[in-house]
Amino acid sequence: TRLLDVGGGSGAFSIAFAERAPDLRAVVLDLPEVVEVARGYRDAAGLAERIALLAADAVRDPWPPDQDIVLLSYLLSAVADAEIGVLLDKARDSLRPGGLLVVHDFMLDDPPGPGPAAAALWFLQYVAYHPDTVSFSRGELADRLRRHGFVPDPAEVLIPGITSVVRARIGSAS
């Protein structure tokens, strides 16, 4: 019933989930200027009482605790390599026992190779603007999740050739 949408942008995912799950309460955490954009969409959807907005830097500022679900969509591919671990630790610390981390992002094929082409091009675009970002495959993301105390499920393709989703729960770090 509690969703933390980190780097939630316009709030589109939180709005869609709240429209389908009447008991859901969500928090969209994003930079102040982005939260103002989300405010308009949230208010137009009539969900101001169920979707809170938190103006914060996901890497530097604290996250709300006791969440059932933490969603990181298109976030890990947009930050510096060193910040990925920070975000995964914050996600773990924000989740209640039994909570679920959902990572939706661009992911390369396993073993790491040149494709899929569309996902590789998205990563290349990020590197052009932020040279400290990194690309990762589904398997590499699963390894990172394990190092930060999660037990990941196998990745599932969401947008063929571009994005995948990995769900993970807190477990023993390996």
Side-chain angles (χ1 to χ4, degrees):
T1 60
R2 297 181 64 172
L3 166 71
L4 177 59
D5 186 356
V6 182
S10 69
F13 283 119
S14 290
I15 291 167
F17 296 147
E19 288 175 341
R20 287 165 183 77
D23 292 334
L24 182 71
R25 300 292 180 263
V27 175
V28 175
L29 184 156
D30 213 317
L31 298 171
E33 58 275 14
V34 179
V35 163
E36 288 311 309
V37 172
R39 184 178 316 283
Y41 288 108
R42 177 204 64 182
D43 294 352
L47 292 167
E49 292 189 18
R50 294 183 42 220
I51 300 176
L53 303 174
L54 177 57
D57 180 306
V59 174
R60 290 163 188 76
D61 296 324
W63 296 8
D66 201 33
Q67 301 299 309
D68 295 308
I69 300 171
V70 171
L71 172 63
L72 307 177
S73 182
Y74 297 119
L75 183 60
L76 299 184
S77 62
V79 300
D81 186 27
E83 294 173 335
I84 292 173
V86 172
L87 294 171
L88 294 178
D89 286 343
K90 285 180 171 239
R92 184 195 61 234
D93 295 345
S94 277
L95 286 166
R96 66 164 180 76
L100 179 68
L101 172 63
V102 178
V103 179
H104 167 238
D105 219 316
F106 306 103
M107 293 183 211
L108 300 174
D109 291 333
D110 287 311
L121 288 171
W122 277 105
F123 278 123
L124 183 59
Q125 169 193 311
Y126 282 132
V127 169
Y129 292 102
H130 302 286
D132 51 355
T133 60
V134 294
S135 58
F136 46 84
S137 70
R138 294 175 197 90
E140 288 168 334
L141 178 60
D143 289 344
R144 282 183 187 250
L145 289 166
R146 284 185 202 95
R147 288 194 304 270
H148 290 274
F150 290 98
V151 177
D153 291 337
E156 297 178 37
V157 172
L158 185 64
I159 303 173
I162 301 175
T163 68
S164 294
V165 173
V166 175
R167 293 183 302 267
R169 296 199 183 269
I170 299 170
S172 301
S174 45

